[in-house]
Amino acid sequence: MSSEACPRVVCLCGSLRLAPLFLSERRRLTALGVIVLAPESAGDEVTAEERAALGELHLRRIDMADEVRVVSEGGYLGAATRREIEYALSRGKVLSAVEPGLGLPDVSRTGPPAGTGPDADVVDELIGLEPLTHRLPSGSDRRAIEALLDEDFAEIGASVRRYSRDHVIDVVEGRYAEGVEPDDGTWSMRNLAALRVAEDLCLLTYDLDVDERRSRRTTLWRRRDGAWRALHHQGTLCAPETAP
């Protein structure tokens, strides 16, 4: 490699449970003269705030990279990895995968990509909270769920039934207590779009695939006391012929 050449920078993304794969790929790329950026383990005792800060730090690594390379096993992509892929695409980064045949998720948007326009920070923050109630840290308690939902929150389910805030909190709390959530391997989002309805109101829409079922999702977010909380959520099942 010429002393004047600028080495290529590659950022690795994926679950740190795959540490041996990260190490192997880092060594392989380094031997090829590539500068490798990768997440670092912060140990098991990490608070939700610290985890969020580490996630933001890794997005800055992606900003510095020429290419984002996904480390995975068995095709599994967790919520954090999916968010990083979405972010990398919004920044025009080259995407590649260590695992042969890995189908990187479709994260196309009908509106401006995350990271552009006057509302980019708001859109990025809210996308990181969707799909609603599925992205809380493992073992989240009732207080964490309450902080996500506005005091006036209501949900219209696929059955067209209306669910109160207390009912939703009870159900979601049980899922996290039983370890059912978070289960990032069962769902994927696509066709994300955001609309700033008012200064403190933002409408987020997307398609959610859970196993073999697709639904159209809409969340209205309201900002109060400097924090965004879900005010209304609705999910409508798609007939097979309407699912792209």
Side-chain angles (χ1 to χ4, degrees), residues 115-133:
T116 62
D119 298 327
D121 291 342
V122 170
V123 173
D124 286 348
E125 178 183 354
L126 297 183
I127 286 175
L129 298 174
E130 297 279 5
L132 188 66
T133 72

Side-chain angles (χ1 to χ4, degrees), residues 150-224:
D150 190 272
E151 293 179 359
D152 299 321
F153 175 82
E155 176 177 339
I156 305 297
S159 64
V160 198
R161 290 184 59 186
R162 184 182 186 277
Y163 298 101
S164 68
R165 179 177 186 263
D166 287 342
H167 174 81
V168 172
I169 292 174
D170 288 342
V171 172
V172 174
E173 182 182 24
R175 289 175 179 170
Y176 279 88
E178 295 167 7
V180 177
E181 295 282 8
D183 187 0
D184 305 336
T186 63
W187 58 262
S188 62
M189 292 192 300
R190 65 182 69 215
N191 300 326
L192 287 151
L195 175 66
R196 192 71 173 266
V197 180
E199 180 64 25
D200 294 323
L201 288 174
C202 189
L203 183 69
L204 215 63
T205 62
Y206 55 93
D207 293 347
L208 180 67
D209 291 340
V210 180
D211 297 326
E212 297 182 356
R213 187 178 72 167
R214 175 168 297 175
S215 58
R216 310 282 194 217
R217 299 290 177 127
T218 300
T219 308
L220 181 63
W221 292 89
R222 176 162 67 181
R223 184 169 57 186
R224 276 185 174 180

